[in-house]
Amino acid sequence: MVIRENKMLKHLWQLILQARCPLCQRPARQTFCLDCQRQLQQCQTQSAPLIPETPDDLNILAWGHYGGELKRAIAALKYEDQRAIAQPLGQWIAQTWLQHPHHPQRVGVVPIPLHQNRLQQRGYNQAELLAEHFCRVTGLPLYAQGLKRHRNTQPQFGLSLSQRQQNLAHAFVLGSDRQRLPRHIPILLMDDIYTTGETARAAQQTLIQAGFKVWGVLTLARTYRLTETPATGTSSPNQHPAN
Ligand SMILES: [Zn+2]
């Protein structure tokens, strides 16, 4: 009788302690439940990642397109203190990097920083969390404080091109890792979302002006303009999420 009661208690505790999916609160054996995991995988860009030759030679590589469940996961990561999500997402970004045929063998990884005010508000930089897990898989060196955001820019949403550029002009300076930043290998910028590219270009400019080489930017998600089609074909294009 006692053994049976113990077993029941144990089962009850297992139910209580069982991890919940951060996106739907249903029990999950891994970070996400099977259903959310499947929906997230549908956001992955299936074909060779898009790397446009931009005039400033900024390569762009993204795991998936910003929409559907991935949009939901990014919101949870940023605004709901669900930092555990960064682990699988950072690992998926690493797979995208490792499977890409033209990625350089060695790069120094620098996450796009948040301004101090936003960092204090949120308690962490989501791009840095993704970069940490990315670097654990790839073995690439992380320079978490390679850049510092010294201007608290307003969200890019709703601004015109010139307003966005003005908003980000001189937004970044070298951070406290400036002495450690590598000069013999290019820098890989990392962010959660790539939208218009102005943030990445502002960060690139700061590094280039200081004499560093920048390979490009690697993100979890990117938006597509209305004229572009994401390779997954599962959702419509999205525009300008808030920072
Ligand atoms: Zn779920």
Side-chain angles (χ1 to χ4, degrees):
M1 187 69 181
V2 175
I3 291 171
R4 201 173 142 203
E5 274 177 6
N6 279 346
K7 273 191 173 174
M8 279 174 69
L9 270 175
K10 195 177 166 193
H11 181 62
L12 195 64
W13 270 113
Q14 277 173 343
L15 279 178
I16 292 168
L17 294 174
Q18 191 165 26
R20 302 262 154 190
C21 170
L23 304 184
C24 69
Q25 307 311 316
R26 283 179 290 191
R29 290 194 172 190
Q30 296 182 327
T31 306
F32 302 111
C33 71
L34 287 176
D35 190 39
C36 289
Q37 172 104 1
R38 186 181 50 76
Q39 288 184 57
L40 280 166
Q41 295 290 353
Q42 285 176 355
C43 300
Q44 185 178 10
T45 309
Q46 298 295 338
S47 61
L50 188 70
I51 304 192
E53 291 295 328
T54 55
D56 45 16
D57 287 332
L58 189 74
N59 293 298
I60 305 156
L61 192 53
W63 177 81
H65 68 95
Y66 184 70
E69 199 69 354
L70 186 56
K71 189 175 174 177
R72 166 86 190 94
I74 290 172
L77 172 64
K78 287 166 79 166
Y79 308 119
E80 297 168 20
D81 198 17
Q82 298 281 6
R83 58 190 90 181
I85 292 178
Q87 184 177 2
L89 299 183
Q91 290 169 349
W92 295 350
I93 301 173
Q95 294 308 321
T96 294
W97 175 257
L98 293 171
Q99 285 165 9
H100 191 266
H102 304 302
H103 74 264
Q105 287 302 308
R106 293 294 289 172
V107 287
V109 180
V110 174
I112 297 289
L114 294 179
H115 185 265
Q116 194 60 26
N117 292 356
R118 196 164 294 169
L119 185 63
Q120 276 173 359
Q121 219 173 32
R122 193 168 293 166
Y124 55 93
N125 174 7
Q126 72 281 353
E128 185 181 328
L129 294 184
L130 291 171
E132 275 173 17
H133 292 291
F134 169 84
C135 289
R136 261 178 223 159
V137 175
T138 58
L140 292 167
L142 173 65
Y143 303 91
Q145 310 303 322
L147 283 170
K148 181 182 170 190
R149 202 168 192 137
H150 75 135
R151 275 190 56 210
N152 197 5
T153 52
Q154 41 177 310
Q156 299 284 82
F157 178 78
L159 301 181
S160 69
L161 175 64
S162 63
Q163 283 171 328
R164 289 200 305 269
Q165 286 170 341
Q166 185 65 31
N167 188 28
L168 282 161
H170 313 295
F172 301 103
V173 290
L174 294 183
S176 56
D177 277 341
R178 65 171 74 82
Q179 301 295 342
R180 294 177 51 236
L181 279 175
R183 292 189 179 273
H184 59 291
I185 54 173
I187 302 286
L188 173 67
L189 296 165
M190 184 157 295
D191 209 353
D192 50 335
I193 311 171
Y194 179 95
T195 50
T196 61
E198 268 107 24
T199 304
R201 271 188 278 278
Q204 177 197 27
Q205 256 176 19
T206 300
L207 288 163
I208 284 177
Q209 280 166 6
F212 297 100
K213 290 191 284 284
V214 180
W215 181 81
V217 58
L218 175 59
T219 64
L220 175 59
R222 65 160 293 186
T223 60
Y224 288 81
R225 288 187 288 277
L226 291 170
T227 49
E228 296 176 294
T229 311
T232 59
T234 51
S235 83
S236 57
N238 274 276
Q239 299 286 316
H240 313 307
N243 281 340

